[in-house]
């Protein structure tokens, strides 16, 4: 019997890549999204890549408890990957209530429905943001979670705790309604599917580095601002662990299989999903220019409030336990990001 995985927020950037990998690994996937931060471009791309026109798609808001309950009634869901959340750090500072209500509310509804329908395997999309400005690098899963610097970051920490507590309580309560949980802490996901049919499609001015780079290269933005060149790093710009989105998507597939095949070592587990390789902003910009043969217009400006100096992952737990390792080079990933930006530009001409 094929297992069914629900992907909440499955029409978005990471969700669409995960959907492709799940289908290619032989799972049935139900995609559900309220389309608040995306259009159908990526879902259409998923159908093209997989050659599957019949992927169930449900337009719904995970903050609507009745709709979530209804979804779990309609499909026999073996695992949920929960992406449905707001993700802009700056916006979360301006609109904390909106962020807490949406990001916590939607997740609570998923857990409630999962319990009511006999239990489930739940994979939560967490972030390296939970580590804050770490004292010791690279960060391991045991590194302390520092107080979040934004409501967005706080929702990631709180949702991890909600999952941990729910897993514990439902296992203590007995066999029915038990929830197994995995939190994957992503570092900086970038790039696009090699087909260039799905990728990141930010609305308005991008907050994240790579979409800003590709939009500058294509002429949508005049100039990339590099936030700070006076950090205590080798070239003065921040260090991050940029993880290819397809590699990241594959980590979800192995994590789901681990849950479904009873291979977990604890009922709630956490894994860093990164490459283990720090790359500076300036290095990333230079690599982009070199690999794609384009010149980027950029300038150095003041630091962006809230940015940490450096963060990268210790990945041995994911490597050993999940049998997963990031495979694509930064160059390959930056080439894929550029191919995607050009694909969008071509589609917009039509
Ligand atoms: C942020 C979030 C992270 C989230 C990720 C993806 C925090 C602290 N960070 O990571 O949780 O998962 O976005 O949504 O919560 N930069 C520039 N110019 C730009 C844009 C960025 O120089 O126009 C620099 C930043 O200063 C940073 C690096 O590029 O050093 C990466 O920035 P960004 O892509 O926004 O990701 P993070 O802030 O690391």
């Amino acid at each position: 019997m094929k297992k069914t995985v629900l992907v909440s927020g499955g029409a978005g950037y990471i969700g669409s890549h995960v959907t492709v990998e799940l289908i290619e690994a032989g799972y049935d996937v139900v995609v559900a999204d309220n389309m608040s931060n995306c259009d159908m471009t990526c879902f259409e791309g998923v159908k093209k890549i997989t050659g599957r026109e019949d992927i169930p798609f449900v337009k719904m808001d995970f903050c609507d408890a009745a709709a979530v309950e209804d979804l779990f009634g309609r499909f026999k869901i073996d695992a949920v990957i929960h992406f449905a959340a707001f993700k802009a750090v700056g916006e979360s500072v301006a609109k904390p209530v909106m962020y807490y209500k949406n990001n916590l509310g939607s997740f609570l509804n998923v857990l409630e429905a999962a319990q009511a329908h006999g239990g489930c395997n739940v994979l939560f999309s967490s972030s390296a943001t939970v580590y804050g400005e770490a004292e010791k690098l690279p960060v391991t899963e045991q590194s302390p979670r520092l107080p979040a610097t934004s409501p967005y970051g706080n929702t990631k920490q709180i949702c991890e705790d909600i999952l941990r507590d729910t897993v514990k309580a439902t296992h203590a309560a007995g066999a029915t309604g038990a929830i197994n949980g995995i939190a994957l802490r992503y570092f900086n996901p970038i790039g696009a599917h090699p087909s260039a049919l799905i990728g990141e499609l930010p609305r308005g001015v991008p907050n994240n580095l790579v979409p800003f780079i590709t939009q500058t290269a294509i002429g949508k933005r005049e100039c990339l601002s590099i936030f700070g060149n006076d950090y205590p790093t080798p070239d003065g710009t921040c260090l991050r662990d940029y993880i290819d989105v397809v590699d990241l998507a594959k980590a979800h597939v192995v994590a789901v299989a681990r849950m479904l095949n009873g291979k977990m070592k604890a009922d709630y587990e956490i894994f860093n999903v990164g490459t283990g390789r720090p790359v500076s902003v300036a290095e990333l910009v230079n690599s982009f220019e070199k690999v794609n043969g384009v010149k980027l217009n950029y300038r150095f400006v003041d630091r962006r409030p809230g940015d940490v100096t450096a963060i990268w992952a210790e990945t041995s737990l994911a490597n050993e336990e999940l049998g997963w390792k990031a495979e694509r080079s930064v160059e390959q990933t930056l080439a894929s990001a550029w191919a995607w930006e050009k694909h969008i530009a071509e589609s917009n001409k039509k």
Side-chain angles (χ1 to χ4, degrees):
M1 242 312 251
K2 268 189 162 186
K3 298 284 185 189
T4 301
V5 183
L6 166 65
V7 183
S8 81
Y13 173 42
I14 302 175
S16 59
H17 287 82
V18 168
T19 301
V20 167
E21 297 304 320
L22 286 169
I23 290 173
E24 289 182 350
Y27 291 101
D28 279 335
V29 180
V30 177
V31 173
D33 206 301
N34 69 354
M35 311 306 288
S36 69
N37 196 30
C38 61
D39 59 23
M40 289 304 267
T41 307
C42 285
F43 187 63
E44 291 303 325
V46 168
K47 291 201 273 186
K48 268 198 203 135
I49 296 167
T50 57
R52 288 273 305 270
E53 277 299 320
D54 58 343
I55 306 165
F57 175 82
V58 184
K59 184 171 184 298
M60 58 170 285
D61 190 337
F62 279 81
C63 287
D64 178 347
V68 181
E69 166 57 32
D70 182 61
L71 187 71
F72 273 81
R74 276 170 61 199
F75 298 94
K76 198 205 152 299
I77 294 162
D78 299 295
V80 187
I81 304 182
H82 184 68
F83 292 108
F86 294 148
K87 59 167 189 175
V89 177
E91 185 184 51
S92 80
V93 175
K95 299 177 179 169
V97 172
M98 185 173 108
Y99 267 67
Y100 286 115
K101 197 169 173 186
N102 185 66
N103 293 8
L104 306 187
S106 61
F107 194 43
L108 291 169
N109 287 339
V110 166
L111 293 174
E112 199 164 44
Q115 256 178 277
H117 287 266
C120 202
N121 297 290
V122 178
L123 192 159
F124 175 64
S125 141
S126 190
S127 166
T129 194
V130 301
Y131 296 115
E133 180 86 69
E135 266 178 33
K136 235 178 114 211
L137 291 164
V139 286
T140 74
E141 290 78 357
Q142 265 70 53
S143 296
R145 289 188 330 184
L146 299 181
T149 51
S150 71
Y152 158 78
N154 206 17
T155 67
K156 292 294 178 195
Q157 294 195 350
I158 298 171
C159 284
E160 282 191 355
D161 293 347
I162 291 173
L163 182 56
R164 179 202 60 205
D165 295 347
T166 306
V167 165
K168 193 172 168 203
T170 56
H171 278 270
T176 59
I179 306 255
N180 295 316
I182 289 184
L184 295 183
R185 291 178 176 161
Y186 314 152
F187 284 69
N188 286 57
I190 62 166
H193 193 267
S195 65
L197 291 171
I198 54 176
E200 194 167 2
L201 207 53
R203 287 197 168 158
V205 182
N207 295 307
N208 297 117
L209 180 59
V210 169
F212 209 106
I213 290 177
T214 56
Q215 290 196 5
T216 307
I218 207 117
K220 261 196 225 169
R221 311 276 155 215
E222 236 167 67
C223 183
L224 167 74
S225 296
I226 296 184
F227 300 132
N229 61 350
D230 58 352
Y231 282 99
T233 59
D235 65 20
T237 64
C238 294
L239 297 172
R240 294 286 184 277
D241 183 337
Y242 295 95
I243 168 88
D244 183 277
V245 68
V246 176
D247 280 336
L248 173 69
K250 288 182 173 157
H252 292 73
V253 177
V254 290
V256 162
R258 182 179 175 88
M259 295 200 278
L260 291 171
N261 299 333
K263 300 274 194 253
M264 296 175 77
K265 294 214 171 130
D267 302 326
Y268 172 60
E269 296 180 319
I270 299 171
F271 297 100
N272 283 344
V273 187
T275 66
R277 171 186 62 204
V279 173
S280 79
V281 177
E283 278 172 330
L284 199 81
V285 167
N286 291 337
S287 299
F288 181 87
E289 293 187 314
K290 209 160 144 207
V291 72
N292 296 314
V294 291
K295 198 83 206 89
L296 261 187
N297 194 15
Y298 66 86
R299 60 175 174 195
F300 293 103
V301 300
D302 286 349
R303 293 180 179 194
R304 181 171 70 176
D307 276 342
V308 299
T309 303
I311 182 138
W312 68 94
E314 168 57 58
T315 62
S316 47
L317 191 69
N319 299 159
E320 285 155 26
E321 284 296 322
L322 297 178
W324 168 93
K325 202 172 184 341
E327 280 167 5
R328 291 171 89 192
S329 66
V330 159
E331 287 76 18
Q332 281 173 303
T333 306
L334 290 173
S336 74
W338 182 226
W340 164 245
E341 188 68 57
K342 287 191 289 188
H343 170 79
I344 305 167
E346 279 305 311
S347 317
N348 288 343
K349 270 192 217 152
K350 284 177 196 157

